[in-house]
Amino acid sequence: MQPVADTASPQLERIGVRRKVKAYVALTKPRVIELLLVTTAPVMILAAGGIPNLWLVLATLVGGTLSAASANAFNCYIDRDIDKVMERTKKRPLVTGELSPREAFVFALTTGVVSIVWLGVVTTWLAAGLSLVAILFYVFVYTLWLKRRTPQNIVWGGAAGCMPVLIGWAAVTGSLDWAPVILFGIVFLWTPPHYWPLSMRYKADYAAVSVPMLGVVRGGTAVGLQVVLYAWATVACSLLLVPLAQMGMIYGVAALASGAWFVVESHKLYGRAVRGAEIKPMRVFHASISYLTLVFLAVGIDPLVHLPIPF
C-alpha cells in the first residue's frame, strides 16, 4: 500500500496548490480588473497620438493589475464579515476558508507595494503616485468610511475606479491634461448608473448586512430616476472629449450611438419602476459595461484612423 500513498501525495499537493492559486486570483476580483484595464490601454493610445511603446503599455497594465488586485484584496479582507452573510459574496475565499485573513492581508500589502515600485521604476513616478492614491482612496475612503455609512458611497467611492485613465495618461506623458480629466469624469459619472442597478438586484443582500446602498434605502422609482440622470450626464461628459481632444468621427459616432442605447435602457428601467412593473435592473448593468467598453475602444481607435468631424 505504501507506493499508492507515495504517488497520491504529490497529486494531492498539486491540487492544493492549484486551489490556493485560484483562491488568490478570486481575491483580486478579476472581472473588476478586466474593466479597469479596458479603460487604460485606449487612453495610452490617445495620449501618444498613436501606438505607444508596447513595453510601456504592458508594464502599465501589469502595474495597474497589481494595484487593482491590492485594493480589491484589501476590500475582501475588510468586508469578510459581511461577505459571509451576502448571497453574492459567500463564495469568496476568505468566507470559504481557502485563505486566512493573514494570508489575504499579506497578499494585499505585497501586491500594493510591488505595484507602486514597479510603476515608478518602469513608467513614471506620477503614474505610481496616482496608483497609490487609488489604493488608499478605495480602502480608506470607500471601504472603511463611506460604504457602510451613506447611500452616496458608490458616487464618491467610485473615484478610485476612475484613476486608471489618469495613470495610463501619466505613464505615457509624465503629466496630466484636460483630456484625461474628461475621461476621468466619464467613468466617475458612469459608476452610479452602473452599480445602482446591481444594488437593486441584490437589495436583500445589502439590507441583511445594513449597507445603505441606494437600492436599499430608496424605492425603485427614485433609484431609476437617479440612474437616468447620471446616464445622461455620462453621455454629455463623453461628448466634451470631441472638442477638447479633437476626436473624430469614429469616437463621435460611437459615443452618441452607445450613449443613446445606455440612456434608453436607463429610461426603460425608470419607466418600469413608475408603472409598478417588474424591474429588470441587470439589463442596465450589462448595458453600462458594453457602453463603457465601446466608448473606450473608440478612444483607442480614433487616433489611429482619424476621420475629422465635418463641422
Side-chain angles (χ1 to χ4, degrees), residues 3-309:
V4 175
D6 288 341
T7 55
S9 180
Q11 183 178 1
L12 291 174
E13 288 179 5
R14 287 194 294 272
I15 293 173
V17 170
R18 286 198 295 270
R19 285 178 177 173
K20 186 70 75 171
V21 170
K22 186 177 179 181
Y24 276 116
V25 171
L27 193 69
T28 69
K29 303 181 185 177
R31 285 190 174 183
V32 176
I33 292 178
E34 287 175 11
L35 198 58
L36 296 178
L37 297 182
V38 164
T39 64
T40 304
V43 172
M44 297 182 73
I45 296 174
L46 180 62
I51 299 295
N53 181 287
L54 295 181
W55 160 248
L56 178 63
V57 175
L58 177 62
T60 305
L61 294 179
V62 169
T65 297
L66 291 173
S67 294
S70 173
N72 290 332
F74 273 122
N75 177 265
C76 288
Y77 171 79
I78 295 165
D79 281 349
R80 64 189 186 276
D81 61 327
I82 62 176
D83 282 348
K84 66 182 180 182
V85 178
M86 296 178 65
E87 187 70 23
R88 187 172 66 92
T89 56
K90 67 179 184 180
K91 293 185 180 180
R92 286 180 177 172
L94 283 173
V95 177
T96 61
E98 294 170 288
L99 293 176
S100 69
R102 185 177 186 277
E103 286 175 321
F105 183 84
V106 171
F107 175 81
L109 184 62
T110 302
T111 52
V113 171
V114 170
S115 72
I116 303 308
V117 174
W118 171 266
L119 285 170
V121 171
V122 302
T123 65
T124 68
W125 285 105
L126 176 58
L130 291 168
S131 185
L132 175 60
V133 170
I135 295 172
L136 294 177
F137 195 92
Y138 189 72
V139 173
F140 289 98
V141 177
Y142 173 65
T143 306
L144 286 172
W145 179 31
L146 295 175
K147 184 173 181 178
R148 307 193 194 196
R149 287 178 171 83
T150 171
Q152 295 298 308
N153 47 22
I154 202 65
V155 176
W156 303 108
C162 310
M163 297 301 286
V165 299
L166 301 183
I167 293 168
W169 189 280
V172 173
T173 67
S175 62
L176 293 176
D177 205 338
W178 278 111
V181 172
I182 295 301
L183 291 164
F184 179 99
I186 294 171
V187 183
F188 181 80
L189 293 168
W190 165 88
T191 302
H194 163 69
Y195 203 89
W196 280 335
L198 189 69
S199 75
M200 296 173 77
R201 168 66 177 80
Y202 293 100
K203 178 178 179 178
D205 261 3
Y206 287 112
V209 293
S210 301
V211 173
M213 290 294 179
L214 193 66
V216 175
V217 301
R218 303 292 295 275
T221 301
V223 178
L225 178 59
Q226 289 298 310
V227 168
V228 167
L229 294 175
Y230 270 96
W232 275 103
T234 303
V235 176
C237 185
S238 72
L239 297 178
L240 291 177
L241 200 62
V242 174
L244 288 176
Q246 298 182 342
M247 304 300 284
M249 285 285 290
I250 292 175
Y251 176 80
V253 170
L256 281 172
S258 60
W261 176 38
F262 185 26
V263 167
V264 167
E265 286 297 333
S266 300
H267 275 277
K268 286 181 180 178
L269 173 68
Y270 177 60
R272 285 190 292 267
V274 170
R275 295 193 304 272
E278 180 187 0
I279 298 176
K280 299 178 180 179
M282 296 307 288
R283 287 188 57 170
V284 179
F285 175 79
H286 293 302
S288 69
I289 295 174
S290 299
Y291 163 76
L292 196 72
T293 302
L294 289 171
V295 166
F296 275 86
L297 280 176
V299 167
I301 294 172
D302 195 274
L304 305 179
V305 191
H306 187 70
L307 302 173
I309 296 178

